[in-house]
Amino acid sequence: MIGINTSAICRIENGSQKFSTSKLQKLAELFNIDLQVVTDLFFADKFVRESLKYKCSDNVFKVAEETANYLKTENSIQGKLEL
């Protein structure tokens, strides 16, 4: 229904093939879920698997959250002050 055959699904499940982010929209539509929820789940899973692969401590999640908050603040557009 989203353009992935059963053999590709098996390869995705066992980690020998990556799931294409271009399929997230179709997946969200199929399950009638907001695209942002599906995207968040996809990248959270990816992040957790990478952290486990490199045997990171649980502290990595706190550091990632702090880094994300910093980057959001750094990238926000600040208005000009005219005096």
Side-chain angles (χ1 to χ4, degrees), residues 2 6 18 20 22 29 32 36 40 51 54 70 73 76:
I2 64 170
T6 54
K18 297 198 185 281
S20 173
S22 66
E29 291 169 3
N32 196 28
Q36 188 62 59
D40 290 350
S51 68
Y54 291 100
Y70 171 76
T73 303
S76 67

Side-chain angles (χ1 to χ4, degrees), residues 1 3-4 15 23 27 33 35-38 49 51 53-54 58 61 68-70 74-75 77-78:
M1 297 178 100
I4 300 175
K23 302 288 186 189
L27 195 61
I33 301 172
L35 176 60
Q36 188 62 59
V37 172
V38 174
R49 289 179 188 277
S51 68
K53 178 178 160 184
Y54 291 100
D58 287 345
F61 304 110
N69 289 334
Y70 171 76
E74 183 181 73
N75 291 329
I77 298 172
Q78 299 183 11

Side-chain angles (χ1 to χ4, degrees), residues 48-76:
V48 169
R49 289 179 188 277
E50 283 293 304
S51 68
L52 291 173
K53 178 178 160 184
Y54 291 100
K55 299 180 179 163
C56 297
S57 71
D58 287 345
N59 190 49
V60 72
F61 304 110
K62 180 181 178 204
V63 173
E65 183 177 18
E66 291 169 356
T67 302
N69 289 334
Y70 171 76
L71 291 175
K72 286 177 193 175
T73 303
E74 183 181 73
N75 291 329
S76 67

